[in-house]
Amino acid sequence: MKTKTLKKDKVNIITLGCSKNMVDSEVLSGQLLANEIDVVHESTKRDHNIVVVNTCGFIDKAKEESINTILEQVELKQRGKLDKVYVTGCLSERYRGDLESEIGGVDAWFGTMELPLLLKKFDADYKSELIGERLLSTPSHYAYLKIAEGCNRTCSFCAIPLMRGGHVSRPIEELVKEAEKLVRSGVKEIMLIAQELTYYGLDLYKQRRLADLMRALAGVEGLEWIRLHYAYPTKFPMEVLDVMNEFPNICNYLDMPLQHASNAMLKAMKRQITREEIEELVHQIRAKVPGICLRTTLIAGFPGETEDDVEELKGFLERMRFDRVGVFTYSHEEGTSAYELEDNIPAEEKERRAQEIMEVQQEISLEKNQERVGKVLKVIVDKKEAGRYLARTEFDSVEVDNEVIINTTKRLKPGEFVNVRITKAFDYDLEGELV
């Protein structure tokens, strides 16, 4: 008599939002694999029977994308293409009650800190000894390293503390161990991420320890590039720059979201810093690390922002000449202190202002790129696309920054470092030839 063999579960994880969410999905994958459960990231094949949607709840556009993704997966389940749909992450943490009552067909909802509960749905145990065991969703030569969770800041526009709680640093030894595992698996570049890097260590060691962590990671053999994302300007720990100068494998790169430059806006955003203090800090950083690449992000259309505030911000960009800039339009978020203000700038006007700010930066970016023509730069090869290779310098992070286009018949591998002489400059990219 033939017995019917049970089909083994296969899980597809769909990740929305930021790199911090991506790391959570990778950790979930590592745990599932350790429990002998088949798992893939963002699979387009239809060979899985369970989906976990890791949602983002940061701003309106992200929330909309998360809800649409959940609805798509629920529809697949209703058509018999899936057995289960689970939802986790920031949107689920923040609006679980509303979502449960409005979206049927989801088998279970989880918050941002409920990984062990999610694993229980798979009859799997959370294995704490698996520190750093992740199934990477990035190409194998780079990875994100989340050094802390949550945030203690009270910026008026930001809903992150509502979804992720207060700042919790991870111990240095644990992070070094994870970095070593990543390097053993082929990772050459690690991007340090947290909601707020510069606060690192205050909760755990009663002092800021980002510089010590960088020093420890710089000693990991085989780790070629270490990159810093999301530093907060207020009380910036300057010793971080000494460590940057000390170790060649720490990129001369700093991502420091400033959000605005008008004092009225900085005050309304509760940023605890003035434009004058920001300008002084930028001068100090550049004096300490000549040639450093400074990336920042800004918000257009915060409640009460005037044309004068926008002009002030544009003038600030022209004076400061940041290497990389991203501009977001303000999103009015329940639960934040800015929610009490009137969201008085129409969406089209916010977009127009963002565009105007980016046009100022576009010109600066082109000028800075033109200065690199003729120079030889070390780059990491990311991928081959349309017959040419795309690479990055130490001044460029993944997905958000410039790329270097290499035209060559020589075969290059992703993760390989090569030297390139820059021959052409565009607004946001460079082109070059192998040296």
Side-chain angles (χ1 to χ4, degrees), residues 46-115:
R46 288 263 180 260
D47 61 348
H48 51 270
N49 65 322
I50 297 174
V51 163
V52 177
V53 183
N54 188 357
T55 59
C56 176
F58 187 45
I59 55 175
D60 285 340
K61 284 177 190 161
K63 289 190 273 197
E64 204 176 302
E65 187 188 10
S66 292
I67 288 167
N68 289 339
T69 305
I70 297 166
L71 292 172
E72 279 163 20
Q73 299 309 311
V74 166
E75 196 200 335
L76 286 172
K77 184 185 155 187
Q78 284 162 349
R79 283 169 36 207
K81 307 276 189 200
L82 292 172
D83 296 335
K84 303 265 186 218
V85 175
Y86 297 121
V87 178
T88 183
C90 292
L91 190 80
S92 183
E93 172 77 37
R94 196 172 167 197
Y95 300 107
R96 189 183 317 197
D98 297 344
L99 292 166
E100 277 177 340
S101 60
E102 285 176 34
I103 301 178
V106 171
D107 293 274
W109 303 83
F110 301 93
T112 52
M113 302 297 171
E114 295 182 325
L115 176 60

Side-chain angles (χ1 to χ4, degrees), residues 262-298:
S262 131
N263 282 332
M265 287 293 98
L266 289 167
K267 192 176 177 187
M269 290 177 174
K270 300 189 177 171
R271 293 293 286 170
Q272 305 166 315
I273 197 166
T274 63
R275 193 204 73 237
E276 293 78 9
E277 287 167 339
I278 290 173
E279 293 195 3
E280 178 55 29
L281 174 63
V282 170
H283 292 314
Q284 285 176 355
I285 291 171
R286 284 181 169 151
K288 267 206 159 194
V289 185
I292 191 172
C293 172
L294 285 178
R295 170 179 178 78
T296 194
T297 42
L298 306 164

Side-chain angles (χ1 to χ4, degrees), residues 219-258:
V220 172
E221 209 167 316
L223 183 51
E224 301 236 15
W225 276 359
I226 297 164
R227 190 181 293 286
L228 302 186
H229 274 290
Y230 320 124
Y232 195 85
T234 311
K235 294 188 178 152
F236 181 82
M238 297 301 279
E239 64 274 14
V240 159
L241 304 172
D242 297 327
V243 183
M244 203 177 266
N245 281 328
E246 200 181 323
F247 294 95
N249 60 347
I250 297 176
C251 296
N252 286 346
Y253 178 98
L254 184 64
D255 181 355
M256 186 162 63
L258 296 171

Side-chain angles (χ1 to χ4, degrees), residues 133-185:
E133 294 292 346
R134 291 154 49 185
L135 174 65
L136 291 184
S137 54
T138 54
S140 59
H141 60 282
Y142 64 78
Y144 295 96
L145 184 64
K146 193 186 329 188
I147 69 169
E149 190 56 87
C151 188
N152 281 15
R153 303 284 181 190
T154 54
C155 303
S156 63
F157 54 84
C158 185
I160 295 291
L162 303 172
M163 301 180 282
R164 293 275 172 180
H167 182 101
V168 182
S169 304
R170 294 176 58 199
I172 290 176
E173 311 69 58
E174 193 179 290
L175 291 164
V176 169
K177 199 190 259 183
E178 182 165 345
E180 287 168 347
K181 279 185 181 169
L182 288 167
V183 171
R184 281 200 297 275
S185 74

